[in-house]
């Protein structure tokens, strides 16, 4: 899988840029706050996932010199997979449009499973150092790319969760509504079981790659482990059995949920436990170990994509290579050899000295040079 061209209009600080990357390594360099990460973000949006910076779409539209937002932002990309060439567009304005090969949709989910990529940016260290929400985001994002229907299930689950929480708050004042909770409990258990099952199966696919990659990065000094951490005792990934267990658990804490006005059981409360030699790396790992774990997770994510889809994802590395020592840089570059990769940095001479590829200089949102 590779990007053939990208054109950006009115996106972040970029008024108009068009690039034609090479099939291998593409270095995007420049000083801080010049637009390097903006270019990477524009490419990433074509995976169908939200911005890796957590930004709202209206914040991505260019502001003029008077801090007035432009009317629209338009991203256009052509890319190829193992079977054919594709064209894609994203239009951000009052209404969003996403177009893939001439088919229009109002959601970027149309790109799920079509354009595949992995992103590693400095904030992804929170995969290890941060709270459960970061790890849930990691696995949800990975599954949305691999199994587009998972995105629909997740959306429906969040709506059910929101409605149940609203009902829990109302029940405290209107006891006659108590009987309607049964319906929402059943629906919550149903969707929770599907989500948790998919997460468990994904982690089983990920684990062997993670073990092998971390061993390579750390020279076999420690053994990494990964497991699903839920408030529910999970015996297996049978959806029907899991649904029964979840429903039972939800009913057992109903009184507590009514008092708090929130739902305490479900995949929105689960976590992924990452360990080194059996100890939680978040609490006991050094900075270097935590960084190595995060890198291993992202490289393993790419390996799972390749195994399941047969497509090699595009790699996006945002200002992280310069923070790594030479051995870790070499290990990563060896693993992405043969991929199309986009790397942002301030000084291109600091990385990939022996690699061939294309170099793009970005200054004040403008493409200054391309070599």
């Amino acid at each position: 899988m590779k990007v053939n061209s990208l054109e950006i209009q009115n996106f972040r600080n970029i008024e108009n840029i068009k690039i034609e990357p090479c099939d291998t390594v593409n270095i995007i360099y420049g000083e801080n706050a010049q637009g390097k990460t903006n270019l990477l973000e524009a490419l990433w949006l074509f995976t169908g996932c939200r911005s890796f910076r957590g930004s709202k779409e209206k914040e991505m539209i260019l502001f003029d010199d008077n801090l007035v937002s432009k009317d629209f932002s338009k991203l256009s990309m052509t890319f190829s997979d193992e079977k054919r060439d594709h064209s894609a567009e994203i239009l951000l304005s009052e209404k969003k449009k996403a177009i893939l090969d001439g088919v229009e949709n109002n959601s970027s989910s149309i790109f799920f499973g079509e354009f595949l990529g992995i992103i590693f940016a400095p904030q992804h260290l929170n995969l290890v150092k941060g709270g459960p929400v970061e790890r849930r985001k990691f696995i949800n994002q990975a599954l949305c790319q691999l199994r587009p229907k998972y995105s629909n299930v997740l959306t429906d689950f969040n709506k059910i969760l929101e409605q149940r929480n609203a009902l829990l708050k109302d029940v405290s004042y209107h006891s006659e509504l108590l009987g309607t909770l049964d319906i929402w409990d059943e629906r919550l258990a149903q969707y929770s079981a599907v989500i948790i099952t998919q997460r468990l199966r994904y982690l089983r696919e990920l684990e062997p790659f993670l073990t092998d990659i971390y061993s390579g990065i750390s020279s076999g000094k420690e053994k990494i482990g990964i497991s699903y951490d839920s408030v529910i005792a999970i015996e297996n990934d049978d959806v029907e059995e899991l649904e029964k267990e979840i429903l039972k658990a939800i009913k057992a804490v109903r009184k507590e949920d009514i008092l708090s006005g929130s739902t305490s059981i479900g995949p929105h409360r689960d976590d992924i436990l990452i360990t080194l030699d059996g100890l939680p790396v978040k609490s006991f790992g050094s900075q270097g170990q935590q960084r190595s774990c995060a890198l291993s997770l992202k490289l393993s994510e790419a390996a799972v994509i390749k195994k399941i889809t047969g497509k090699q994802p595009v790699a996006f590395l945002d200002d992280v290579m310069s923070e790594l020592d030479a051995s870790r840089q070499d290990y990563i570059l060896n693993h992405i050899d043969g991929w199309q990769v986009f790397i942002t940095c301030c000084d291109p001479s600091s990385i990939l000295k022996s690699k061939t590829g294309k170099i793009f200089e970005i200054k004040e949102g403008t493409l200054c040079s391309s070599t």
Side-chain angles (χ1 to χ4, degrees):
M1 180 161 286
K2 63 178 182 177
V3 176
N4 297 318
S5 68
L6 173 72
E7 186 169 1
I8 301 173
Q9 293 177 263
N10 300 334
F11 184 79
R12 299 286 194 181
N13 74 328
I14 299 173
E15 187 170 6
N16 201 314
I17 278 182
K18 184 174 182 179
I19 66 168
E20 294 182 355
C22 69
D23 295 351
T24 54
V25 178
N26 297 276
I27 300 175
I28 304 161
Y29 84 98
E31 298 298 324
N32 291 328
Q34 299 303 301
K36 306 186 301 294
T37 301
N38 297 341
L39 196 153
L40 222 59
E41 182 182 32
L43 287 163
W44 174 252
L45 292 177
F46 285 102
T47 63
C49 298
R50 294 181 179 181
S51 167
F52 58 86
R53 302 155 102 176
S55 302
K56 296 179 180 178
E57 290 173 350
K58 64 180 181 180
E59 297 171 349
M60 302 179 194
I61 301 175
L62 174 70
F63 284 80
D64 63 21
D65 293 338
N66 297 316
L67 299 181
V68 176
S69 175
K70 296 281 189 176
D71 293 332
F72 72 95
S73 175
K74 183 179 180 181
L75 311 175
S76 304
M77 186 177 80
T78 60
F79 67 99
S80 304
D81 57 24
E82 285 71 8
K83 295 181 180 179
R84 55 172 291 194
D85 296 334
H86 301 271
S87 63
E89 288 186 4
I90 297 174
L91 182 66
L92 303 177
S93 58
E94 290 185 4
K95 291 185 178 180
K96 179 179 179 180
K97 289 183 182 179
I99 303 171
L100 177 64
D101 297 329
V103 178
E104 186 176 312
N105 199 299
N106 60 4
S107 170
S108 294
S109 61
I110 193 174
F111 302 126
F112 282 146
E114 300 296 335
F115 179 69
L116 301 168
I118 62 154
I119 176 76
F120 187 71
Q123 61 265 37
H124 285 113
L125 289 175
N126 287 327
L127 279 175
V128 178
K129 300 170 64 175
V133 65
E134 299 296 332
R135 291 176 286 279
R136 289 196 298 267
K137 189 188 299 182
F138 164 74
I139 197 168
N140 285 338
Q141 179 180 286
L143 281 166
C144 283
Q145 285 203 76
L146 287 170
R147 302 182 177 95
K149 289 183 179 179
Y150 179 86
S151 174
N152 298 330
V153 173
L154 199 61
T155 299
D156 290 342
F157 168 81
N158 286 327
K159 290 178 181 177
I160 293 167
L161 181 64
E162 183 179 350
Q163 289 169 325
R164 185 179 189 269
N165 286 342
L167 182 58
L168 287 170
K169 294 179 176 69
D170 289 342
V171 164
S172 299
Y173 304 99
H174 303 280
S175 58
E176 68 274 13
L177 296 173
L178 187 61
T180 61
L181 263 177
D182 288 336
I183 298 171
W184 294 109
D185 289 355
E186 290 170 5
R187 295 191 69 191
L188 188 76
Q190 178 187 359
Y191 279 83
S192 294
V194 173
I195 290 170
I196 292 173
T197 297
Q198 291 296 318
R199 288 177 176 180
L200 288 169
R201 291 173 182 173
Y202 179 79
L203 289 184
R204 275 208 301 271
E205 295 278 3
L206 187 81
E207 186 174 23
F209 293 112
L210 182 64
T211 301
D212 180 63
I213 290 171
Y214 185 83
S215 178
I217 288 178
S218 67
S219 302
K221 293 177 181 177
E222 309 98 12
K223 183 177 180 180
I224 194 170
I226 190 167
S227 59
Y228 195 72
D229 187 17
S230 177
V231 293
I232 305 162
I234 301 174
E235 300 296 332
N236 55 59
D237 62 3
D238 181 272
V239 178
E240 292 182 1
E241 290 299 318
L242 186 55
E243 182 180 336
K244 293 176 185 177
E245 291 300 317
I246 294 171
L247 184 58
K248 181 179 176 181
I250 289 171
K251 290 183 179 298
V253 296
R254 176 179 283 188
K255 289 182 180 179
E256 291 85 348
D257 282 0
I258 291 173
L259 287 172
S260 67
S262 62
T263 301
S264 58
I265 300 291
H268 62 295
R269 293 296 182 94
D270 293 348
D271 197 358
I272 298 168
L273 182 61
I274 304 165
T275 61
L276 288 179
D277 293 335
L279 295 174
V281 68
K282 178 181 177 181
S283 302
F284 297 96
S286 67
Q287 290 277 1
Q289 288 172 326
Q290 291 173 345
R291 185 180 296 277
S292 295
C293 287
L295 283 166
S296 299
L297 280 167
K298 300 305 291 186
L299 291 174
S300 301
E301 179 188 359
V304 173
I305 289 174
K306 179 66 181 295
K307 178 185 176 182
I308 291 177
T309 69
K311 300 175 182 178
Q312 182 65 65
V314 179
F316 304 104
L317 306 178
D318 184 30
D319 197 27
V320 293
M321 296 296 285
S322 59
E323 299 178 7
L324 304 174
D325 60 37
S327 64
R328 283 182 171 83
Q329 279 195 26
D330 288 343
Y331 185 87
I332 291 171
L333 294 173
N334 286 334
H335 270 72
I336 61 176
D337 188 32
W339 305 12
Q340 187 182 45
V341 56
F342 293 82
I343 301 176
T344 65
C345 63
C346 292
D347 180 10
S349 66
S350 64
I351 56 174
L352 304 181
K353 295 178 181 177
S354 61
K355 299 287 181 179
T356 59
K358 217 164 183 179
I359 300 176
F360 302 93
E361 182 184 5
I362 303 294
K363 186 175 182 180
E364 296 182 349
T366 301
L367 182 63
C368 294
S369 64
S370 173
T371 56

